[in-house]
Amino acid sequence: MPGTIFTFYSYKGGVGRSFTLANVAVLLARWGHRVLCLDWDLEAPGLGDYFRSQLPAPPSGGVVDLVDDFRHGRFAPEAHVQRLTGVGVLDFLAAGRDDPGYVTQVQEIGWDGLYDDGFGEYLEKCREFWTARYDFVLVDSRTGISDIGGICTAHLPDHLVLLFTANRQSILGAVEAARRADAARNLLPFDRARLTVLPVLSRFDNREEYDRSETWRRIVVDETAELYRTWLDQAVEPATMARHLTLPYVSYWSFGEQLPVLSEQTPGADQIGFALETVAAVIACRLDRTDLLAENRDAYVAAVRSSRREFKHDLRVSIPRTSVGTANELVDELKRRDVRAVKSLSGDRSLLSRAEDDARHLCLVVDGKVSRWQAAEVELFLHRTLGQDRRVIPILTAGTEASSLPGYVGNLRYLRLGGSRGPAEVARDLVGQLKGGTPLADDDPDLPALLGQVREARLRPSRWDLVDELVTALQPAVGAADSGRARDLATDLAVAVKPHSPDGADRHPAPPGVRRSIDWLLRILDTRAQPTTQHRKDLG
C-alpha cells in the first residue's frame, strides 16, 4: 500500500501547527510507521527546532535543494534526508542549510517559472518516491495564501490537516484556504481524489471560561461542518468529532519547542499528549473508522497503537460450548505446531473489558450456527482491526452449511472439521494459512487501493450509477474469492472512476449506498488472509 501525504496548514501563525506535526510524527514513528517530515515553510522554517536533540548533525540541505537539483537535471529526493535517533523510523528533510546562503536560495526561486519548465512533473516524481518508501509523509506548510502554500495544500497532499484557533479570522481564513486548495487541485493535470480536510481546533482553553468556550465550540462546528462531509462516518455528528480534534492550551508547553509525547508516555485526559494521540490515531487510520472513535476513544487509539506490536498469542480460538472437546483437541494440536493459541469459551466477559486484544488472529469454530456471543466476538475483533494483517478464520463442524451463515463469516474461506478431517489435519492446514503457505483468498492486492480511490472520487451522477453496478457485482465475487471475476470488475471500475476532464461542474462524492458497499468490501479484504507483508517489517 503506498504511503499517504498529510499537509499541516494554518491560515494564521501561532496556532501550533509545527508543534502538532512534530508530535504526531513522533507518535506515528513510535507506533511502528515509517514517517518523513518535510519543512516546506521556506520563509520561516522552524520544524527542525523540535527535532534538534534527535538530529545527528545540522542539516546540510533541504527542500530548497530540490529546486536546485531540478535546475541541474538531478533527481535525488533522498539526498538531504536525516534519520532522527531514538524514535523509530522518523526521517526529516529540513527547509535548507542553516547559513546565510539559505535566504538567497529562497529569494531566487520563481515558482511560476519553475512550473512552466516542468517542475510539477519533477515534484510528482518526488511524491511517488516518498510514498513508496514511507507510510506517512507530513508536510509543514507556510501560512496564508502563497505559491508555496498552493504546492503544499493542492499538489502534494492526500489529506489536509487544518489548524486554527477560536477566532473568526483564523477559522474562516483556514476554511477558505481549504476551498481554494480543493478548487486548484481539481485543475491539476495529475490523477487526484478530492482533497479531504481534517479540522483541528488548537490552543483551546476551556478551563477558565467554560460558557464562552462552549459558545465558540458551536461556532467552530458551524463554520467547519462542510469539511467533515466527505469522510466522517454518517452515524457520527461533526460536534462529536470536533471535540476529539481539539488540542487544549497548556501554558507549560507554550515555552520553546518541545515534544510532550516523549515525556507523557501514558497521558491522562487532561494532558495535551492525550489529544495529540487522538489526532495521530485519526491520521494513522487515514480518517477512517470514526464510528469506533466516537464510541470508544481509548479502544480506537489502543488499536492503532498496537497495530504493529507483537501479540502475546498468535491465535484466539473461539469455542462454542457444544464443541468443547473437539476444539480443545484442536488447540492442543496447534500448540504442538508451535502456534501460540489461546481458548475463548463463549461467555468470557473479560474480552469485552479489554482496551486491546492480545491475539493477532481469531479462529471461529462454528457448530451449526454462529452464536450470539461469537457474533459479538467478531464485531469486537473487527472494531480493533484497523488496516492490520489480522484474520478471521472460520472452522465449520460437520453438518454446518456455509450458505446459512451470516455474510461476515460465510464470505470468508473456511476449513472443515469432521469425517476424515480431524483436529490434527485442520491444525496442519490452519498453520499453513497463518504462515502464508495457503492464502485464504487470491484477491488482487491493488483492489483495496482502488476501492479507496473510488470512495474518495467525485463523479457525475450517471457515472456513479455505473460504479454502483460494478461495486455491487464485486461483492459476491470477492465473497466467493473468485479472483478472475473480481479482477475483470476491478479493471472496469478503474476505467469508470478515471477523471475525463478537469471540469468540476456537476461532480459529486460517492452516494451513501456506494460508500457502504465499499466499506463492506474493504472489511472483508482486511480480515481475509493477504500475501505476506514482509515489506513492512523493515521498520525497526
Side-chain angles (χ1 to χ4, degrees), residues 19 50 203 249-258 272:
F19 167 85
Y50 290 93
R203 300 177 66 84
Y249 173 73
V250 181
S251 59
Y252 179 83
W253 299 113
S254 65
F255 298 98
E257 292 80 13
Q258 304 180 75
I272 195 168

Side-chain angles (χ1 to χ4, degrees), residues 514-540:
V514 174
R515 291 171 66 90
R516 285 193 294 271
S517 297
I518 290 174
D519 289 344
W520 183 90
L521 285 165
L522 288 173
R523 177 168 292 191
I524 291 298
L525 293 171
D526 275 347
T527 57
R528 186 174 287 172
Q530 298 292 328
T532 179
T533 53
Q534 183 65 38
H535 68 285
R536 289 189 175 272
K537 294 183 179 178
D538 58 349
L539 303 176

Side-chain angles (χ1 to χ4, degrees), residues 124 127 154-158 185 188 190-194 499:
E124 192 71 4
R127 189 182 189 278
H155 186 161
L156 284 177
D158 298 296
R185 184 185 183 85
L188 288 173
F190 310 111
D191 188 14
R192 292 283 194 278
R194 183 179 183 182

Side-chain angles (χ1 to χ4, degrees), residues 430-505:
L430 186 54
V431 170
Q433 291 178 352
L434 293 175
K435 293 182 177 180
T438 53
L440 293 173
D442 270 336
D443 303 302
D444 186 336
D446 291 333
L447 184 54
L450 173 61
L451 290 170
Q453 178 187 343
V454 175
R455 201 175 189 275
E456 303 301 328
R458 289 181 66 85
L459 303 171
R460 299 181 186 278
S462 59
R463 188 57 62 91
W464 277 124
D465 290 340
L466 173 60
V467 169
D468 190 12
E469 292 180 12
L470 293 170
V471 171
T472 300
L474 260 174
Q475 289 181 298
V478 169
D482 185 347
S483 58
R485 174 64 173 161
R487 191 176 298 111
D488 291 341
L489 290 167
T491 300
D492 293 340
L493 188 60
V495 174
V497 298
K498 185 176 181 180
H500 290 268
S501 77
D503 181 13

Side-chain angles (χ1 to χ4, degrees), residues 330-389:
L330 173 64
V331 171
D332 291 340
E333 290 290 344
L334 289 169
K335 290 180 177 178
R336 291 191 188 98
R337 290 167 169 80
D338 296 323
V339 175
R340 296 173 300 168
V342 61
K343 293 179 287 187
S344 166
L345 191 63
S346 293
D348 182 4
R349 296 189 177 277
S350 66
L351 291 174
L352 302 179
S353 61
R354 297 174 187 169
E356 299 182 7
D357 205 340
D358 60 359
R360 179 174 293 278
H361 307 295
L362 174 64
C363 175
L364 211 64
V365 179
V366 182
D367 185 23
K369 64 179 183 179
V370 178
S371 70
R372 293 179 63 184
W373 181 260
Q374 287 182 316
E377 269 192 289
V378 173
E379 182 179 1
L380 186 60
F381 181 88
L382 294 177
H383 264 308
R384 291 168 171 168
T385 301
L386 302 173
Q388 306 168 40
D389 179 19

Side-chain angles (χ1 to χ4, degrees), residues 185-220:
R185 184 185 183 85
N186 206 34
L187 299 175
L188 288 173
F190 310 111
D191 188 14
R192 292 283 194 278
R194 183 179 183 182
L195 185 66
T196 49
V197 183
L198 186 70
V200 177
L201 174 58
S202 181
R203 300 177 66 84
F204 189 67
D205 190 351
N206 64 348
R207 299 182 181 184
E208 301 295 332
E209 297 287 345
Y210 180 79
D211 291 340
R212 293 188 67 190
S213 69
E214 288 303 299
T215 297
W216 273 98
R217 279 192 186 278
R218 290 192 292 271
I219 293 173
V220 167

